[in-house]
Amino acid sequence: MERPAWAPRSIDISVPSVSRIYDYYLGGSHNFEVDREAARKAMTHLPGLPKIMQANRAFMRRAVRHAVGTGIDQFLDIGSGIPTFGNVHEVAQAAHPGAHVVYVDHDPVAVAHSEAVLAGNENADVVAADLRKPQEILSSPQVERLIDLNRPVALLLVAILHFVEDADDPYGAVAQLRDALAPGSLLVLTHASYEGIPLPAERAEGAVDVYKDIRNPLIMRSRDEVARFFEGYDMVEPGLVPMPHWRPESAPEDEDPYAFAGFAGVGIAA
């Protein structure tokens, strides 16, 4: 397999990557045949996966604009993935040119592309780190340079927590991040769930098995389990809801049925 110029030498391009599979679902070009093969296999069980990912991105953009509207000008996006059109920094800086954005991802391709996209943007940067190690993120030079933790921050955990198994204590990681943020900070979150998928759960499990096979288990949590991530936050209206129902800009009834799979919410730190 020929290695394209954009692929860091350190990565194994014969192994599928969650970030590159996500990029494929969104119509991106920074993925390999091994990623596309895994994505197509998952889609045989859950054909609406691209629609789910598009709904994630649309919610993220609405939530970022909401954050700017409340006066927040700092964004920490953990599990940011490979840059695609309508990234956090593009949305935030269009609404507030001085907004600061730090992306965090542990995928070398995602980090390399973020560095390329952000070249020359003094108010945005990327950290190679893992959500499961919050202190490494918070103490990174990039966060220390761009994020003032004494002022409100919008913390984005969009389509990332469902890749953290319970054994790795995702609730503890989110709590550590919450405790480091100033009152008035926002938690912006989406999470996969069997609830809302317009298919029997047994069929959707086939897609979950694909992620298990590539050693990136997809943890489908219930609404109550997702709500636990918001402990210490007051939910912003309309609460924890299917993605198209969170402050929609178009009629939710016009959305694809798959867009309603999983949950989205925004909380404000007390």
Side-chain angles (χ1 to χ4, degrees), residues 146-269:
L146 288 173
I147 305 293
D148 179 359
L149 294 174
N150 295 309
R151 296 195 301 111
V153 176
L155 169 64
L156 285 84
L157 299 175
V158 176
I160 178 64
L161 285 164
H162 47 235
F163 291 114
V164 184
E165 298 180 82
D166 287 344
D168 289 323
D169 192 16
Y171 296 103
V174 174
Q176 283 187 57
L177 291 164
R178 177 200 65 212
D179 292 346
L181 302 180
S185 293
L186 296 181
L187 171 60
V188 177
L189 182 153
T190 67
H191 199 295
S193 177
Y194 286 121
E195 297 175 41
I197 293 178
L199 283 176
E202 314 82 75
R203 183 171 171 193
E205 281 173 9
V208 173
D209 288 341
V210 171
Y211 283 91
K212 192 182 300 179
D213 290 343
I214 65 171
R215 295 182 174 82
N216 280 284
L218 180 59
I219 313 301
M220 306 291 265
R221 295 188 171 97
S222 68
R223 186 184 184 281
D224 286 347
E225 289 171 326
V226 176
R228 280 184 56 201
F229 288 114
F230 286 97
E231 288 182 2
Y233 292 91
D234 295 323
M235 295 303 295
V236 171
E237 289 293 333
L240 186 61
V241 294
M243 292 174 284
H245 286 306
W246 198 89
R247 304 198 174 199
E249 295 171 349
S250 58
E253 54 266 27
D254 294 337
E255 292 282 352
D256 186 282
Y258 280 96
F260 296 86
F263 295 101
V266 176
I268 182 166

Side-chain angles (χ1 to χ4, degrees), residues 18-31 82-84:
V18 165
S19 293
R20 299 194 306 265
I21 291 171
Y22 190 83
D23 177 68
Y24 173 72
Y25 289 143
L26 291 173
S29 58
H30 295 103
N31 48 77
I82 294 169
T84 56

